[in-house]
């Protein structure tokens, strides 16, 4: 299994995404966070199809920190069931990956 992952999170808006990003990066659970301020989401919720505006957050971290990232995001998030998924980084710039390692806590 790969050591590095990106964690994709959707948030209700930019303010919530920024709050989550600052907390996760501040605690060194991720080396970096990118916020995509405006996305449209179409999804099933409580038996019907919904559509809403959201913001997306991409966190760069190590696989071993994902449980702590999930815990923190859930604590800070306004949604009942927030989207928090980790995707493995198969390959990449070795120096960037080492930077992720050096900037995240153990």
């Amino acid at each position: 299994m790969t050591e590095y992952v990106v964690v994709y999170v959707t948030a209700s808006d930019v303010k919530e995404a920024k709050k989550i990003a600052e907390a996760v990066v501040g605690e060194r659970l991720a080396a970096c966070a990118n916020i995509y301020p405006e996305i449209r989401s179409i999804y099933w919720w409580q038996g019907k199809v919904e559509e809403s505006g959201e913001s997306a957050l991409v966190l760069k971290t190590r696989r071993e920190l994902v449980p702590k990232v999930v815990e923190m995001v859930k604590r800070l998030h306004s949604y009942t069931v927030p989207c928090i998924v980790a995707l493995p980084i198969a390959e990449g710039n070795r120096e960037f990956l080492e930077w992720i390692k050096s900037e995240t806590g153990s």
Side-chain angles (χ1 to χ4, degrees):
M1 194 175 290
T2 181
E3 179 178 0
Y4 303 101
V5 299
V6 292
V7 178
Y8 176 79
V9 178
T10 56
S12 61
D13 56 27
V14 172
K15 183 178 177 182
E16 182 171 64
K18 188 173 186 285
K19 176 180 81 171
I20 293 167
E22 288 173 344
V24 172
V25 173
E27 290 294 318
R28 293 196 175 270
L29 296 177
C32 176
N34 301 118
I35 297 171
Y36 296 86
E38 190 175 326
I39 62 172
R40 294 300 300 167
S41 297
I42 300 171
Y43 53 93
W44 280 98
W45 182 247
Q46 298 181 339
K48 61 182 180 175
V49 176
E50 300 281 345
E51 180 175 349
S52 64
E54 295 183 294
S55 293
L57 180 61
V58 178
L59 306 166
K60 289 89 163 194
T61 191
R62 292 181 289 128
R63 183 183 51 82
E64 68 187 71
L65 296 174
V66 170
K68 290 180 180 179
V69 170
V70 170
E71 179 184 318
M72 179 173 276
V73 171
K74 286 173 71 175
R75 190 171 63 238
L76 297 170
H77 213 291
S78 63
Y79 292 175
T80 305
V81 184
C83 169
I84 313 165
V85 295
L87 307 166
I89 297 173
E91 296 285 335
N93 175 357
R94 177 60 34 203
E95 292 87 359
F96 181 77
L97 298 176
E98 287 299 319
W99 174 78
I100 291 173
K101 185 176 186 175
S102 71
E103 297 302 328
T104 53
S106 53

